[in-house]
Amino acid sequence: MRNFSYRAVEEVGSAVARHTEFSTSAFLAGGTTLIDLIKLDVMRPEQVVDVNRLPLKRIDLLDDGRIRIGALVSNTELAHHPLIRARHPLLSAALLSGASTQLRNMATTAGNLMQRTRCAYFRDPVVSECNKREPGSGCAAATGINRLHAVLGTSEHCVATHPSDMCVALAAIEGTVEVEGPGGKREVALLDFHLLPGDTPQREHALEADELITSVVLAPPLGVAGAHYLKLRDRASYEFALASCGVVLVLDGQRIGQVRIALGGVATKPWRAFEAEASLVGVAPGRECFEQAARLALAHARPLEHNAFKLPLARQAIVRALETALDDARGGMSPPAQSDTDAGSPAGDSP
């Protein structure tokens, strides 16, 4: 580990000001990703600004039905908060499917948004080429062992998968990210926060230089909806998703009124399946239309040498999540969190 300067701050303005003092500076909250990457010499900040004392740990219901979540709210607190469990059970389920209790106790809302890929080539600065870590060096994963990599949103420069469960749920729920930087305060739509790699894979999010996430604001619930988060992985716990699906579904009589479908484990960013959603609105729900939606969701996938199995796996996840959300919408009981292992598929669950 390289030496770095450490500063602890108590105000957002001070945090931003301190961050501008060095060309490579990092904000420290839970540190569950940052400290790992510093130890691996993947991230090399000259300065670490500790933001844990900032007043960003509240969860508030706003007058218009939105919920504001402070950047420093832990994953554990967020998953179990009564407002989240009642209004956005999909988010609670996604959070509880990830990592371990100890990590959820430390990890924060903003930290999860900023979580970086688990690509083994990205995390190996000694021998591996990685455009995300060192622009222009190449992508070792494209021709290497790429079983865990993305099939959606990839480019010739990067095929790394986005690892977050929480962000999959947020993609389905929608809302905004509130940030503050040297230029003042602004909002970024959740769906626009994470960026596709394109030819600049080193740019992973829409934050400008020295900006700090202060809160996430969730859109109001769609209505009386069914929701389900399904995560398929190699092991039943302590694993990242091979494929995951978050669904929110609202019935309009005997037909689907609104539906949101978000995917994880298969894309370079939290992925919304808009074409699949459009195919379901106004349709009487059932296995046939769910399977058609699943095919549409993966229609533009580009599998690599070792991860073509993710296509049928993701389609299965979509169908199963839709069926469970439908049962929930009809008044059935759906568990708040689920990590399924499917013995008939090439993989089980992943965190």
Side-chain angles (χ1 to χ4, degrees), residues 78 84 88-97 112-113 162 164-175 190-191 194 216 218-219 227-230 244-248 260-264 270-272 277 336:
L78 185 58
I84 301 302
H88 297 291
L90 178 67
L91 177 56
S92 178
L95 285 163
L96 292 174
S97 75
N112 201 313
L113 275 174
H162 192 276
S164 172
D165 292 292
M166 182 191 84
C167 292
V168 176
L170 293 181
I173 294 168
E174 297 187 5
L190 271 167
L191 290 177
H194 296 101
V216 172
L218 304 182
H228 191 64
Y229 186 73
L230 178 63
S244 65
C245 182
V247 168
V248 179
R260 303 263 179 84
I261 302 170
L263 300 176
W271 195 263
R272 267 289 290 279
E277 294 172 2

Side-chain angles (χ1 to χ4, degrees), residues 85-163:
R85 291 179 64 87
R87 291 171 174 259
H88 297 291
L90 178 67
L91 177 56
S92 178
L95 285 163
L96 292 174
S97 75
S100 64
T101 302
Q102 294 93 331
L103 285 172
R104 291 195 297 268
N105 289 344
M106 291 293 295
T108 63
T109 299
N112 201 313
L113 275 174
M114 297 293 289
Q115 188 175 174
R116 306 197 72 183
T117 183
R118 290 305 207 219
C119 171
Y121 299 103
F122 167 74
R123 295 167 67 88
D124 179 13
V126 177
V127 298
S128 297
E129 301 166 339
C130 176
N131 290 317
K132 186 180 288 293
R133 189 185 64 246
E134 187 178 342
S137 64
C139 178
T143 56
I145 304 300
N146 44 44
R147 177 177 180 271
L148 303 179
H149 288 73
V151 297
L152 290 167
T154 59
S155 75
E156 62 178 307
H157 302 285
C158 184
V159 295
T161 306
H162 192 276

